[in-house]
Amino acid sequence: LDPTYHPHQRAREYTRAVTSAKIDRMFAKPFIGALDLGHRDGVTASCTSRNALVPFVSGSADGEIRIWDLGGRTLVKDLPGAHSRTVTGMVFANDGRKFYSCADDGLIKSWNVYPSGQREETEEWATPHGP
């Protein structure tokens, strides 16, 4: 390009280079980091408790739900087959002990984060679009 027709070319190139360097730095460090034993399919929903960071919950496209400890970056509990289809939404109850999940299978399920017994206790409700 002819500098007589583009007098601000050098300033524009400098601005582009600085912006590119900033974007590279911004995407260089992940927000959470690598969580070992991650989902086999893509994560479609997640939520965290208002009370603590320990119960971070994620749901995936294969219907699986996992409870994570973000501080230690470890898997606390795995709930395979929680839903038969893609998990579309999750939210914690106000007390932080239960969370609710909904999926494309048309069910809304209630889960205890800290189950008292060996068997996982759940409640489920069918939506108008569900089975």
Side-chain angles (χ1 to χ4, degrees), residues 4 9 11 15 23 25 48 57 71 80 82 85 87-88 111 113 124:
T4 57
Q9 176 184 3
T15 304
I23 289 174
R25 279 194 208 133
T48 185
V57 183
R85 296 183 65 190
V87 178
T88 56
W111 304 88
V113 177
E124 66 180 46

Side-chain angles (χ1 to χ4, degrees), residues 4-25:
T4 57
Y5 296 115
H6 301 283
H8 301 294
Q9 176 184 3
R10 189 175 191 135
R12 275 184 281 183
E13 289 301 320
Y14 177 77
T15 304
R16 286 181 185 162
V18 169
T19 303
S20 175
K22 287 180 181 178
I23 289 174
D24 284 345
R25 279 194 208 133

Side-chain angles (χ1 to χ4, degrees), residues 97-128:
R97 297 194 154 287
K98 282 187 171 185
F99 68 93
Y100 301 92
S101 64
C102 61
D104 281 342
D105 59 5
L107 296 175
I108 300 171
K109 293 187 177 183
S110 168
W111 304 88
N112 288 326
V113 177
Y114 310 105
S116 56
Q118 295 283 12
R119 191 165 165 252
E120 186 67 36
E121 300 173 17
T122 63
E123 297 178 49
E124 66 180 46
W125 301 275
T127 62

Side-chain angles (χ1 to χ4, degrees), residues 40-94:
R40 286 183 291 263
D41 210 340
V43 174
T44 55
S46 64
C47 67
T48 185
S49 173
R50 296 179 192 185
N51 303 336
L53 279 177
V54 173
F56 175 78
V57 183
S58 61
S60 67
D62 59 359
E64 189 172 87
I65 294 176
R66 293 188 178 195
I67 302 172
W68 301 92
D69 174 12
L70 287 184
R73 294 184 181 172
T74 57
L75 178 66
V76 175
K77 187 155 182 78
D78 185 14
L79 302 169
H83 287 279
S84 62
R85 296 183 65 190
T86 302
V87 178
T88 56
M90 306 178 88
V91 66
F92 264 90
N94 288 335

